[in-house]
Amino acid sequence: MNAESDERGEAVASTDPKPATGDGTGDVVDVVSAEEPELGSKAPHFIKRSKPLHLSWQVGVFIVGLAVVAGGIVMLPLPGPGWLVIFGGIAIWATEFVWAQLVLRWTKRKVTEAAQRALDPKVRRRNIILTTIGLVIIVVLVGIYVWKFGIVMPWKIKE
């Protein structure tokens, strides 16, 4: 699977080796993947029964998720785990909204694909080579600085 894929997991159909008996025991069965649970609201049943209560529940979940995502966006330029908090907010939204569940599934799939690609020996070798080149460049620049200015911090240079 390449990095640009946007394929969704398909439901797998399996057949029981027994012949169909008419009571449904040997008929084709749809198996939903264990890693992708059913889409939809995760609200308790008593909340789902009442439309006004369910709507207020959804508004509350949306506001809480929005606050968490906004906090994550604030943490992107500031110290803190910004992306982790943003994904946490999306996970909060995913407890109630199908669109957030789909975004979360897509994100999990892309992270898994990236982790698989990172474990590829060719990619690891390339990353090690690039890291080594970067470290050599940093060592050379630090050496030039020390040769030119000595071991003096920049704020103590007198001109």
Side-chain angles (χ1 to χ4, degrees):
M1 190 175 281
N2 63 15
E4 290 82 26
S5 83
D6 192 15
E7 302 169 19
R8 290 193 169 79
E10 300 288 330
V12 179
S14 65
T15 57
D16 197 336
K18 298 179 204 171
T21 58
D23 62 356
T25 57
D27 299 331
V28 174
V29 178
D30 286 333
V31 178
V32 177
S33 174
E35 64 187 68
E36 293 185 1
E38 188 175 320
L39 295 174
S41 176
K42 307 288 189 272
H45 183 66
F46 74 93
I47 289 177
K48 287 188 214 176
R49 279 191 308 209
S50 170
K51 189 165 180 113
L53 187 59
H54 191 233
L55 184 61
S56 61
W57 177 271
Q58 286 181 327
V59 169
V61 167
F62 183 79
I63 289 172
V64 169
L66 185 64
V68 172
V69 168
I73 290 172
V74 168
M75 285 186 216
L76 286 175
L78 299 175
W83 284 110
L84 186 64
V85 173
I86 289 172
F87 291 132
I90 293 173
I92 291 171
W93 280 336
T95 63
E96 197 58 35
F97 302 107
V98 173
W99 61 267
Q101 292 170 357
L102 294 174
V103 167
L104 205 56
R105 282 184 184 179
W106 180 85
T107 304
K108 286 179 182 177
R109 190 169 48 252
K110 291 300 175 184
V111 167
T112 303
E113 289 174 8
Q116 291 296 329
R117 281 194 314 274
L119 294 175
D120 180 27
K122 291 179 185 176
V123 174
R124 289 185 67 196
R125 190 175 314 116
R126 182 197 66 200
N127 289 346
I128 290 171
I129 291 170
L130 289 175
T131 302
T132 304
I133 290 171
L135 288 174
V136 167
I137 290 171
I138 289 172
V139 167
V140 167
L141 291 175
V142 168
I144 291 171
Y145 177 84
V146 169
W147 175 67
K148 186 164 183 158
F149 298 109
I151 303 184
V152 177
M153 295 299 148
W155 51 86
K156 296 197 179 209
I157 297 176
K158 297 177 185 171
E159 292 190 26

